[in-house]
């Protein structure tokens, strides 16, 4: 199975700050990488698919980049509603696998 | 609009079985596979596998090849997850998801004696 190593485990940021979350795949995944946000008691919400494509309705302060085995999610101009846990997920090979999550809090 | 509505919370004893449902609406059910994801309390997301809604063929991740069964009731646009011989470690929220884009609200399953 493809392992997804996500960092950091947790992060705190001030309003208006820019933050980045990294995801490293154990093998190349050809940009089949998605990012999700999950808030307590809720289902995950898709933010980014195919490494850098913004899902409909997601604010443009979210962006994704990367290739090969290394990918990142950037959140610009941190807002209160951006608090939550963020997961990466590879969709290149079954079984699909998720990163361990990054908890993002407001400082 | 696309919706996946899952059944309600479950409280079971070890050794029992349960079957949770995921009813889809707003699209043609057989056009898209259904995925299943487990989330233990305070933990991350774990991909369980998927079922081909045209053929009914399930595919399970390694950790879910025993005791877990994906099934369909196509006429009702509903997918099911059955867990047999429940164990304490099955305590989790189980999500169905279409293409991991549209997600159900999750079913909280508690296994306790």
């Amino acid at each position: 199975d493809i392992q997804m190593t996500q960092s950091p485990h947790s992060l705190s940021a001030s309003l208006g700050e820019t933050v980045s979350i990294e995801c490293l795949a154990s093998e190349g995944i050809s940009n089949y990488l998605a990012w999700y946000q999950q808030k307590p008691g809720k289902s995950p919400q898709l933010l980014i698919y195919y490494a850098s494509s913004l899902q409909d309705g997601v604010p443009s302060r979210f962006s994704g980049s990367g290739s090969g085995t290394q990918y990142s999610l950037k959140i610009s101009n941190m807002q209160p509603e951006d608090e939550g846990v963020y997961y990466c997920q590879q969709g290149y090979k079954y079984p699909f696998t998720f990163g361990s999550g990054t908890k993002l809090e407001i400082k | 609009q696309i919706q996946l509505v899952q059944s309600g919370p479950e409280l079971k004893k070890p050794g029992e079985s349960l079957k949770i449902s995921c009813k889809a609406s707003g699209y043609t059910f057989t056009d898209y596979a259904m995925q299943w994801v487990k989330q233990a309390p305070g933990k991350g997301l774990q991909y369980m596998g998927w079922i081909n809604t045209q053929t009914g063929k399930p595919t399970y991740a390694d950790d879910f090849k025993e005791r877990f069964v994906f099934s369909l009731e196509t006429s009702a646009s509903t997918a099911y997850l059955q867990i047999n011989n429940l164990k304490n470690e099955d305590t989790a929220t189980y999500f169905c998801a279409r293409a991991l884009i549209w997600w159900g609200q999750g079913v909280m399953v508690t296994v306790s004696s």
Side-chain angles (χ1 to χ4, degrees):
Chain A
D1 297 359
I2 297 176
Q3 305 303 314
M4 304 300 292
T5 303
Q6 193 174 332
S7 62
H9 176 70
S10 63
L11 193 54
S12 63
S14 303
L15 293 178
E17 191 175 338
T18 295
V19 300
S20 287
I21 299 169
E22 309 293 321
C23 197
L24 178 66
S26 59
E27 62 184 85
I29 56 173
S30 297
N31 288 5
Y32 286 94
L33 190 285
W35 291 96
Y36 298 85
Q37 177 196 64
Q38 188 179 31
K39 298 192 177 184
K42 300 294 187 182
S43 308
Q45 298 293 310
L46 178 67
L47 301 173
I48 301 284
Y49 62 96
Y50 201 56
S52 60
S53 295
L54 194 67
Q55 174 67 359
D56 289 347
V58 174
S60 58
R61 62 179 182 275
F62 292 90
S63 62
S65 63
S67 62
T69 61
Q70 295 185 294
Y71 299 87
S72 63
L73 173 70
K74 185 170 78 172
I75 308 170
S76 303
N77 186 23
M78 177 82 179
Q79 297 298 301
E81 59 267 30
D82 298 338
E83 275 197 324
V85 181
Y86 291 79
Y87 296 94
C88 62
Q89 174 251 321
Q90 67 82 15
Y92 179 68
K93 190 183 288 186
Y94 282 107
F96 294 162
T97 42
F98 292 90
S100 55
T102 296
K103 186 173 184 178
L104 176 59
E105 297 177 318
I106 298 287
K107 194 181 292 183
Chain B
Q1 75 280 23
I2 295 166
Q3 280 193 305
L4 299 176
V5 178
Q6 297 186 244
S7 47
E10 300 269 6
L11 175 60
K12 293 288 188 181
K13 291 181 166 46
E16 293 184 336
S17 296
L18 69 75
K19 192 172 186 177
I20 60 181
S21 65
C22 170
K23 182 169 177 58
S25 61
Y27 70 98
T28 301
F29 182 68
T30 51
D31 281 353
Y32 298 90
M34 192 67 74
Q35 323 275 340
W36 290 92
V37 175
K38 175 184 178 181
Q39 187 169 38
K43 302 296 185 183
L45 303 169
Q46 187 177 11
Y47 184 76
M48 300 175 69
W50 63 287
I51 183 164
N52 184 318
T53 53
Q54 289 190 334
T55 65
K57 179 180 186 293
T59 301
Y60 302 97
D62 284 347
D63 287 348
F64 301 97
K65 287 184 174 175
E66 297 181 13
R67 303 189 299 111
F68 296 83
V69 180
F70 304 151
S71 63
L72 304 172
E73 186 178 351
T74 306
S75 61
S77 298
T78 300
Y80 297 96
L81 166 62
Q82 180 169 328
I83 310 175
N84 298 318
N85 186 21
L86 282 158
K87 303 180 185 301
N88 290 332
E89 54 263 38
D90 296 327
T91 294
T93 297
Y94 293 87
F95 296 98
C96 62
R98 192 198 102 171
L100 296 179
I101 298 173
W102 288 271
W103 293 65
Q105 82 277 18
V107 176
M108 187 175 295
V109 173
T110 303
V111 183
S112 174
S113 54

